[in-house]
Amino acid sequence: MRASGRLAREVLDLAGRAVRPGVTTDEIDNIVHGATIKAGAYPSPLNYHNFPKSCCTSLNEVICHGIPDDRELQEGDIINIDITVYLNGYHGDCSEMFYVGENPDDKTKLLLQTTYDSWVSAMKFVRPGNDYNGIGGIIE
């Protein structure tokens, strides 16, 4: 389980380094696919309920599970990249939001910081004895 989680994070880091204006989400998907296969794993989203790609790329108002395509990223976009790899019998899953370009505006900075802070608070809550339904209250 740790190995699959670690690989998912490594692949996410590679994908995140590719985020910049002019790059397509298809290009990011190709990076994800190649790195996952090279590591001896399988990209879990690929062909899951006919999902056609190896990762999810959700741009701007797309909440989750966006399908990579030939749209070029533009300065000011926000993209969430969601990676899931299957390695040694376990799925490793992680995602992160990225700002495309330089100098995000204050509203974007606040959004990214708030979502990160919510995630950290939720992760601190997760431990034996706590019910998962408490996470929703923390995030809300």
Side-chain angles (χ1 to χ4, degrees):
M1 190 180 300
R2 286 184 185 189
S4 63
R6 185 175 13 252
L7 177 60
R9 182 69 235 191
E10 290 169 2
V11 172
L12 179 57
D13 289 343
L14 284 172
R17 285 194 290 274
V19 172
R20 63 185 171 280
V23 171
T24 67
T25 53
D26 265 339
E27 290 174 274
I28 292 170
D29 183 72
N30 287 334
I31 290 167
V32 167
H33 185 85
T36 302
I37 297 299
K38 183 177 179 183
Y42 184 81
S44 301
L46 186 60
N47 296 320
Y48 179 74
H49 291 280
N50 296 315
F51 191 83
K53 300 292 181 165
S54 294
C55 68
C56 300
T57 54
S58 303
L59 283 169
N60 301 322
E61 72 281 347
V62 177
I63 294 174
C64 66
H65 303 142
I67 300 171
D69 59 22
D70 61 357
R71 181 196 184 279
E72 291 185 0
L73 299 177
Q74 298 176 9
E75 180 85 27
D77 283 341
I78 298 171
I79 181 172
N80 186 76
I81 302 174
D82 189 349
I83 305 294
T84 309
V85 300
Y86 185 72
L87 179 67
N88 300 330
Y90 295 96
H91 295 276
D93 188 349
C94 59
S95 72
E96 187 171 344
M97 263 199 302
F98 300 90
Y99 177 77
V100 180
E102 303 294 325
N103 305 316
D105 61 30
D106 289 340
K107 187 176 177 182
T108 299
K109 287 180 189 177
L110 179 61
L111 173 64
L112 294 177
Q113 189 62 54
T114 301
T115 57
Y116 178 79
D117 292 345
S118 295
W119 173 74
V120 169
S121 295
M123 292 306 295
K124 288 179 180 177
F125 175 81
V126 176
R127 63 177 151 290
N130 285 348
D131 294 329
Y132 282 120
N133 64 4
I135 296 172
I138 290 169
I139 293 171
E140 192 176 329

